[in-house]
Amino acid sequence: MKKRLVIALGGNALGKSPFEQLELVKNTASTIVDLVEEGYDVVIGHGNGPQVGMVNLAFEYSANNGSGTPLMPFPECGAMTQGYIGYHLQQAVGRELANRGVKRSVVSVVTQVVVDSKDKAFKNPTKPVGMFYFKEDAERMMKETGYTFIEDAGRGWRRVVPSPIPKKIVELPVVEQLVSKHHIVITVGGGGIPVVEKSAGAYEGVAAVIDKDRASALLALELKADMLVILTAVDRVSINYNKPNQFNLSQMTLSEAKKYIKQGHFAPGSMLPKVESCMSFVENTENGTALITSLERAREALRGETGTRIVKK
């Protein structure tokens, strides 16, 4: 039986515009097909922070400037980004498979993820979306729109929206069927479209963005994956990041990860949710392992040559 990998793609694997993304996903596709050739069944989750912010802002600007375009609700913006990011990934991965003579299908599933309407995140927005702004511009937009902006890991100011904890993946049975047939599946795009369950089988979208790493961890658990792989911009997780005494970790036990979190080594909205998502997966599986590494070195990381592995002990 093939081993299952759930891969969470970071923003560096995609792009800030559709045109940039079309170029970037070529490298992303190469990495994904590398892993397919290594003998894995691959399931892909991805973020959509820049993209959903871009789509939402475009509709909002157009609606408020006399074009007659309607305002687009935030859940629908999330669904749109799932669609076009999945389309780009399907094209790129399909092309790479064909170029290498690998006979495998790739498909995107527009995915809803259930959250709790009483989740405290709705009173405390933390998830960055959209582009980066200078502080002065962010402060002006907060006054004009009522949106919340925060400084994001030294990179600038970004709008933040609620980021509730994912509870259930609505389309999981379909994803399971596709994976069992060895198709490459793109799902929980952007963390999934956040919905609340109003009654059995009836869902309603809510204005939020689920963290894609947390959604991917839930997906990995539900699919009984052998490994959760979070691909980001760095080869390894570090403590004392960007300081003279920075130290890159090849492995972390759960107890070590908890200690480093308590000491404040991982930035909220950046490395912290990645580490916490890996911990959640490892804690709740018997033999599962999690791995954080860069897109470019994923194949080497799976062979133990780089990356940071999170293990029970």
Side-chain angles (χ1 to χ4, degrees), residues 4-199:
R4 287 183 177 180
L5 293 183
V6 170
I7 298 174
L9 296 175
N12 61 313
L14 302 170
K16 296 180 179 66
S17 74
F19 309 102
E20 179 186 6
Q21 184 169 283
L22 276 170
E23 287 302 311
L24 287 176
V25 292
K26 293 176 184 177
N27 292 331
T28 305
S30 179
T31 294
I32 290 167
V33 179
D34 282 347
L35 303 182
V36 171
E37 287 190 323
E38 290 281 318
Y40 295 102
D41 276 332
V42 176
V43 188
I44 304 161
H46 62 78
N48 71 342
Q51 295 85 355
V52 73
M54 175 186 68
V55 170
N56 182 246
L57 182 63
F59 272 97
E60 191 170 85
Y61 180 86
S62 183
N64 291 331
N65 285 275
S67 70
T69 304
L71 285 169
M72 189 60 61
F74 211 85
E76 279 75 0
C77 292
M80 288 179 181
T81 59
Q82 271 199 23
Y84 92 75
I85 294 170
Y87 157 66
H88 283 175
L89 285 168
Q90 282 177 224
Q91 283 202 330
V93 173
R95 189 180 302 114
E96 188 70 18
L97 290 166
N99 288 343
R100 300 195 199 183
V102 178
K103 292 187 177 180
R104 195 74 68 89
S105 297
V106 55
V107 63
S108 298
V109 178
V110 176
T111 314
Q112 303 170 92
V113 174
V114 177
V115 299
D116 185 346
S117 61
K118 297 179 181 178
D119 192 305
K120 62 183 181 181
F122 287 106
K123 295 183 179 179
N124 180 33
T126 59
K127 181 65 177 175
V129 299
M131 60 190 293
F132 290 90
Y133 293 92
F134 290 113
K135 182 180 180 180
E136 298 77 15
D137 294 325
E139 289 176 341
R140 173 180 52 80
M141 293 177 72
M142 281 192 276
K143 291 178 182 177
E144 292 176 354
T145 65
Y147 294 159
T148 301
F149 284 75
I150 63 168
E151 196 274 332
D152 184 5
R155 297 176 293 178
W157 288 66
R158 294 176 79 186
R159 180 186 172 190
V160 287
V161 298
S163 184
I165 299 296
K167 298 294 186 181
K168 183 176 78 171
I169 299 165
V170 176
E171 287 75 21
L172 182 70
V174 177
V175 174
E176 173 63 55
Q177 288 179 36
L178 291 166
V179 177
S180 68
K181 298 294 184 181
H182 309 299
H183 300 296
I184 300 167
V185 185
I186 303 159
T187 182
V188 296
I193 303 163
V195 296
V196 293
E197 192 164 11
K198 307 300 286 186
S199 60

Side-chain angles (χ1 to χ4, degrees), residues 280-292:
S280 173
F281 174 68
V282 173
E283 281 178 327
N284 292 288
T285 58
E286 186 176 346
N287 298 308
T289 304
L291 173 67
I292 300 175

